[in-house]
Amino acid sequence: MPVAKPLSEGESGALRGFCSPPALAELIRDLYLNERTGTLTLSRAGVSKRIHLDRGMILSVSSSLEDERLADFLARQQVITAEEAEALKGLDDGQVLEVVRGRGKVPIEAIHVAARELAQQILTSLFRWEDLEYSFTEGPVPASPMGTNVVVSFELIIRAMRSMGGFERVKDALLRQDRGLRFSDQLYLPFDQLSLTSIEGFLVSRIEGQVKIRDILAQVPSEEEEAASRFLFGLLILGLANFVPPIGSGPLSCEDLLRGEEEKRRREEREKAEILEFYRVVRDSKPTEILGVDEAAPADRIKAAYEGRKERFAPSRFLRKLQVDLREELQIIEACILEAFLALRSRGLDSARTVGTGTERVVSLDLDALSMRKELSKTEKQSLEEERTRMSEQFLSKARDYWKVGDFFNCIRYCEFACDYNDKNAAIHGLLGQALARNPDYRWQKRAEAALIRAAELDSFSPAHFIVLGGFYRAHGLHAKARKHYEKALELAPNNADARAALKELARNKG
């Protein structure tokens, strides 16, 4: 996106260059901060429009297009007649103003309102251009009936930016900023004097220094988000609000905003490719390939490789967006790295092996394995077991999330992942059985029965597992088996209402 950087500045104070619509607001802001008086001319495809500035504030706006000339606009607003407008053709806006005011037939207030509305129309059309060539010339500007001040200038620009072109990349950059937003200490604007929409008023109330732009926009209705983000960008680029901490020194520039965003985008692409490539590796490769070691690697090298891979793909080292978008892939990578490490270490735990033939036995000591035994203390064994349990709980939590939304296929998938790391958790088998039971196929029903039985065996003092088993058998018409499990639940919890109700229902159906 072109930015508002002057190509040249002569001794006369003239500025020339090219800019995008978002950078046009930055250019006008810089002229205001430097209190420049002169004419900013913007051109495209043979059409030119001029913004006349008085100490950086917008005094008037004019256009080379006939339907954006003052005489034609006054006629459309019925301030003057069409015949009068025709007679004024060929005169510039300043001359038209003098003629109309000199006749004394039109109230001066009506001329002020019309001039303000015309300025808004031309400025809005300028911000819709995709790219602009500009030049600024210092010097006197024509008189205007509109009058100007900071409030008038701000309102003209902020309204024009509501339909500004070239905003997509700017919006993405704003949403990615992990920075708070607060009002500037140097520039103050009396918001009570502005004609703000209800959404704009709400946004002003939310700026307090800590809340990020994406958090503010999250509280806005979706149909208002685009307008809200443009308004917040307007506050930032005009210098009325600042990021905390700031992106760079001085007022915000589109170049700094988008350059930082481009760097973040490239990093995101690079990290995403790295995660997905290693995700493919861990799903299709042997433990040695996952850790990057050979079959004969000693214990210390295996452990170092494990620690390196674990640190390399720790979710915290990647961008927050990737931590969310690729959460499942990162979890599986973490689990597979641990699994590869445990598989390689278990091969060396046979510290002595018997070799030879016949009755002669020679005991050969595996020194690497012995050193591994010494290193693998009870504390480390416990640590590894805790790591497996933690991974199992993570997968179980994910399986429960899928169960809640009715995605039984992924629920089964993650229950199986959880079982790989902890096969003695009754909750995993219970959930797996209920998810499998949703498929009417006979093979799935047999797997469901086995999983539910396993859950009851692992947690034989919980009536809930027997109630679920009873419901499973009851759904298959196996009432005797169902009754047996409901009665078992009542043995464990005599006051269990679910078991009592189920037994009564079985009795009624039998009768």
Side-chain angles (χ1 to χ4, degrees):
M1 176 184 294
V3 293
K5 289 291 183 181
L7 296 183
S8 62
E9 181 171 359
E11 294 180 0
S12 63
L15 298 172
R16 296 183 182 278
F18 298 88
C19 69
S20 63
L24 174 59
E26 178 187 341
L27 177 61
I28 296 173
R29 176 205 67 199
D30 290 344
L31 293 171
Y32 168 75
L33 292 177
N34 291 306
E35 298 186 6
R36 306 286 289 269
T37 296
T39 300
L40 178 62
T41 303
L42 300 119
S43 307
R44 190 189 70 163
V47 177
S48 63
K49 305 188 181 188
R50 295 176 175 83
I51 303 174
H52 305 290
L53 301 172
D54 177 17
R55 292 161 296 162
M57 296 176 288
I58 298 176
L59 185 62
S60 62
V61 187
S62 60
S63 170
S64 63
L65 295 174
E66 197 61 41
D67 62 350
E68 290 181 341
R69 305 291 285 272
L70 184 58
D72 189 73
F73 187 79
L74 290 174
R76 291 201 306 274
Q77 298 293 309
Q78 299 183 343
V79 176
I80 62 176
T81 65
E83 292 76 12
E84 289 176 312
E86 185 66 27
L88 294 173
K89 272 190 176 180
L91 301 180
D92 62 33
D93 288 354
Q95 292 170 326
V96 170
L97 173 63
E98 291 299 325
V99 172
V100 173
R101 190 159 48 187
R103 289 175 180 174
K105 296 180 180 180
V106 180
I108 192 66
E109 293 79 9
I111 298 177
H112 288 178
V113 171
R116 175 81 177 272
E117 291 178 357
L118 175 60
Q120 187 68 72
Q121 176 183 307
I122 299 173
L123 201 59
T124 299
S125 68
L126 269 174
F127 275 92
R128 289 174 180 164
W129 286 1
E130 292 183 2
D131 55 83
L132 313 98
E133 180 180 358
Y134 72 86
S135 65
F136 175 76
T137 305
E138 198 102 35
V141 292
S144 169
M146 188 176 73
T148 190
N149 54 42
V150 175
V151 173
V152 169
S153 294
F154 172 81
E155 205 157 29
L156 284 170
I157 298 170
I158 211 71
R159 286 183 179 179
M161 292 176 71
R162 290 172 183 170
S163 57
M164 176 178 63
F167 186 63
E168 293 75 14
R169 285 183 60 202
V170 172
K171 182 181 178 182
D172 289 342
L174 293 174
L175 290 173
R176 291 173 182 266
Q177 294 300 320
D178 290 321
R179 305 166 191 268
L181 201 61
R182 73 177 178 196
F183 284 112
S184 171
D185 296 328
Q186 283 74 40
L187 294 178
Y188 170 73
L189 192 71
F191 287 98
D192 57 320
Q193 298 180 26
L194 297 174
S195 302
L196 299 178
T197 65
S198 58
I199 287 297
E200 290 170 347
F202 168 77
L203 295 173
V204 169
S205 71
R206 297 300 300 159
I207 298 174
E208 40 75 19
Q210 299 295 323
V211 184
K212 302 175 181 63
I213 284 184
R214 60 173 173 268
D215 296 329
I216 296 176
L217 294 179
Q219 304 174 56
V220 173
S222 57
E223 63 273 13
E224 299 280 4
E225 182 179 323
E226 183 70 15
S229 58
R230 289 170 182 269
F231 179 74
L232 291 175
F233 173 68
L235 294 179
L236 281 163
I237 204 65
L238 294 177
L240 298 169
N242 298 320
F243 279 124
V244 183
I247 290 179
S249 60
L252 177 69
S253 74
C254 292
E255 183 179 26
D256 287 344
L257 180 65
L258 294 177
R259 182 173 57 230
E261 173 58 22
E262 180 65 18
E263 290 172 356
K264 185 177 287 187
R265 185 187 64 79
R266 289 177 182 171
R267 177 186 169 188
E268 180 182 318
E269 290 178 353
R270 186 171 61 251
E271 291 184 351
K272 182 177 181 180
E274 180 184 7
I275 293 170
L276 294 179
E277 173 61 22
F278 195 65
Y279 175 71
R280 184 192 63 77
V281 170
V282 299
R283 298 303 301 272
D284 302 330
S285 303
K286 298 185 298 184
T288 51
E289 294 170 341
I290 292 173
L291 295 186
V293 298
D294 55 41
E295 295 285 350
D300 57 347
R301 190 177 301 168
I302 292 174
K303 183 176 181 181
Y306 164 67
E307 294 292 347
R309 284 283 197 262
K310 181 180 177 183
E311 181 181 355
R312 179 67 180 168
F313 290 95
S316 59
R317 70 167 291 271
F318 297 106
L319 289 171
R320 185 171 301 177
K321 183 176 186 298
L322 294 179
Q323 294 179 34
V324 175
D325 293 349
L326 300 179
R327 179 185 173 193
E328 293 183 19
E329 286 81 357
L330 288 168
Q331 284 182 338
I332 292 173
I333 286 173
E334 185 180 11
C336 290
I337 291 173
L338 174 63
E339 188 174 336
F341 174 58
L342 296 175
L344 291 178
R345 295 205 66 164
S346 66
R347 295 180 187 179
L349 290 179
D350 296 328
S351 59
R353 61 177 182 268
T354 302
V355 297
T357 58
T359 58
E360 179 184 336
R361 299 179 61 202
V362 179
V363 177
S364 174
L365 295 180
D366 186 335
L367 297 180
D368 286 339
L370 283 175
S371 65
M372 184 184 298
R373 277 187 179 276
K374 180 179 180 181
E375 181 183 326
L376 191 62
S377 64
K378 181 179 178 181
T379 302
E380 188 171 354
K381 288 180 181 178
Q382 290 175 338
S383 176
L384 291 173
E385 191 60 36
E386 288 172 1
E387 184 79 0
R388 294 183 67 89
T389 301
R390 184 181 67 81
M391 291 302 304
S392 177
E393 288 296 332
Q394 280 189 8
F395 286 125
L396 175 59
S397 174
K398 193 69 178 177
R400 285 170 172 156
D401 291 341
Y402 281 119
W403 171 265
K404 290 175 185 177
V405 298
D407 187 345
F408 304 116
F409 174 80
N410 275 313
C411 178
I412 292 169
R413 177 170 168 247
Y414 277 89
C415 281
E416 290 171 341
F417 286 150
C419 279
D420 288 342
Y421 289 92
N422 185 5
D423 190 45
K424 297 181 180 180
N425 187 333
I428 298 173
H429 292 281
L431 182 58
L432 175 61
Q434 293 180 69
L436 288 165
R438 295 300 180 120
N439 190 322
D441 185 89
Y442 174 77
R443 292 168 298 176
W444 291 74
Q445 294 296 315
K446 291 300 293 181
R447 287 183 62 197
E449 179 185 20
L452 294 175
I453 290 173
R454 177 66 171 154
E457 289 173 349
L458 289 170
D459 191 5
S460 58
F461 293 99
S462 172
H465 297 301
F466 294 99
I467 292 173
V468 172
L469 254 175
F472 175 81
Y473 287 125
R474 181 180 167 190
H476 287 76
L478 303 173
H479 293 170
K481 282 190 173 183
R483 184 178 298 105
K484 173 185 172 183
H485 286 88
Y486 287 137
E487 289 172 350
K488 177 63 176 178
L490 283 178
E491 288 179 19
L492 296 170
N495 296 321
N496 190 289
D498 292 335
R500 287 182 177 279
L503 283 172
K504 288 181 182 179
E505 185 67 24
L506 282 175
R508 276 199 301 270
N509 292 339
K510 184 177 180 180

